[in-house]
Amino acid sequence: MTIQLGIFLALICAFVSNLGFFFKHRGAAECAKVDIRRPFRSTRNLYSSKWFAIGMAIATSAWIFHVAALAMAPISVVQVVLAGGVVMIGVMAQRLFGVDVGNRQWWGLALTCLGLVLLAVTFPTNHDGAHSSFSTPAMIAFEAGLFGIGGLLIMGPRVGAPAEHHGVMLGAAAGVLFGVSDVAIKALTGIAGHEGIMAIAASPWLYVTIGASVAAFFSSARGLQDGDAVSVIAITGTAANITTVAAGILVFGDPLPGSTLGIVLQGLAFLLVIVASAMTPAPRAAGAAAAPAAA
C-alpha cells in the first residue's frame, strides 16, 4: 500500500509541477534576462513578477508531493510515473495558457511519450520497498558526473553548441540538476529512516541538494526566457526523469528488466527521448514564426 500511495503522490506532482512551469514561463518572459553573475538582482527581478511568484509557490507544493513520493516508493518508479506528465504538457499549453504548439513540438512530445511508455512497461514490478539504501562511491561518482554534464549544457555556445538551441540546453541542464537534487533527496530519506531526521543536517547530501537546486533554479528561469515554453518544459522534465531513473538502477539498486528484450527496449526508449529532444524547434525559428502572427 505504501508504494501505491507513493505512485498516487507522484501523479499529483506531475500535474502540479507542469502547471508551475507554465506560470513561471509567463512570469520569466516579463522580466530582465537572468544573469548568474548577479544572482540576487536576478532573483529579485524574477519575483517582481506575480506570475513567476505564483509559479514558484505551485512548484514548491509539487516538490512536497515529490519528496513524499520518494519516501514511499523506489526512485525509478516515482520518476516513471512523473514521466507521464510529459503527456499533459501540450494539452495544458493550448487549453490553459493559449500557447501555440507546432507540429514538430507535437511530434517531439509523441516520441518522448512513446519512449517513456516503453521505459515504464519494461520496468520490473517486483519492488519490495522504498529502496533508499545506496552505495556511497556510486553516489559520489554519479552526482559528480551529472554536475559535469549540467555545467557543459549551461556553457552551451561557449563550448561550440549552436547558440539558437541554448534555451533548450538550459532546460536540459536544469533537468539534470533537478535530477542531482532528487537523487540527493532520495538518499536523505534513507538516512532519516535509519538514523533519524536530525541526521539530515549533518549529511553532505543536504548541501548537494541545496547547491543543485539553486543552479537548477537559475538555469530553468533563463531557459524559459530564451526558449519556447513547451520545448523547455518537456526537456527539463525528461532530463530529470532519465537521470533519476538511471540513479535508481546504478545508485539505489533498483532491478533491471529480467530479459534481453526488456533491456533492448529500455535502450530504445532512451534513444527515442534523445531523438525527440533533437526535434524541438530552435527558439529563433519559433520567434520568427510568431512574428507574422503577432503582426
Side-chain angles (χ1 to χ4, degrees):
M1 183 62 184
T2 301
I3 292 179
Q4 284 74 16
L5 180 57
I7 291 172
F8 176 70
L9 292 173
L11 281 171
I12 297 175
C13 176
F15 175 80
V16 175
S17 178
N18 285 334
L19 187 64
F21 266 122
F22 279 110
F23 276 108
K24 287 191 290 182
H25 177 267
R26 176 175 288 184
E30 300 174 347
C31 301
K33 293 290 187 181
V34 170
D35 187 350
I36 192 61
R37 295 169 297 181
R38 297 174 174 84
F40 296 108
R41 179 186 298 178
S42 294
T43 302
R44 186 173 63 251
N45 288 339
L46 288 169
Y47 276 95
S48 68
S49 166
K50 67 175 183 179
W51 296 115
F52 189 88
I54 291 171
M56 284 301 299
I58 294 172
T60 300
S61 66
W63 180 82
I64 294 171
F65 284 119
H66 193 185
V67 173
L70 288 173
M72 297 180 181
I75 189 170
S76 54
V77 172
V78 171
Q79 295 306 135
V80 167
V81 174
L82 288 176
V86 173
V87 182
M88 309 175 192
I89 292 174
V91 177
M92 292 175 70
Q94 284 195 339
R95 298 295 183 184
L96 300 182
F97 294 90
V99 176
D100 184 28
V101 182
N103 288 333
R104 286 181 65 186
Q105 291 173 316
W106 280 118
W107 275 108
L109 287 172
L111 286 178
T112 300
C113 181
L114 178 59
L116 295 173
V117 167
L118 281 177
L119 196 61
V121 299
T122 56
F123 249 89
T125 57
N126 56 330
H127 293 290
D128 54 0
H131 281 234
S132 297
S133 300
F134 61 93
S135 163
T136 299
M139 182 80 161
I140 293 173
F142 190 86
E143 295 285 73
L146 290 186
F147 264 119
I149 293 171
L152 288 174
L153 289 168
I154 289 171
M155 293 175 68
R158 297 183 182 180
V159 293
E164 64 270 19
H165 290 288
H166 196 212
V168 174
M169 293 179 70
L170 286 170
V176 169
L177 293 168
F178 281 131
V180 171
S181 176
D182 292 343
V183 173
I185 288 171
K186 180 65 177 179
L188 291 173
T189 63
I191 291 170
H194 289 94
E195 303 176 28
I197 195 167
M198 296 303 295
I200 291 178
S203 172
W205 303 117
L206 174 62
Y207 306 101
V208 170
T209 299
I210 295 171
S213 298
V214 171
F217 169 81
F218 288 111
S219 298
S220 178
R222 183 58 186 263
L224 289 170
Q225 290 177 327
D226 291 353
D228 63 275
V230 173
S231 300
V232 173
I233 294 171
I235 195 65
T236 300
T238 301
N241 288 327
I242 288 178
T243 53
T244 44
V245 167
I249 296 168
L250 299 175
V251 178
F252 297 99
D254 291 352
L256 284 165
S259 66
T260 303
L261 177 61
I263 294 174
V264 170
L265 288 176
Q266 279 202 1
L268 177 60
F270 283 103
L271 179 61
L272 283 172
V273 171
I274 292 170
V275 170
S277 301
M279 286 183 63
T280 54
R284 185 180 300 167

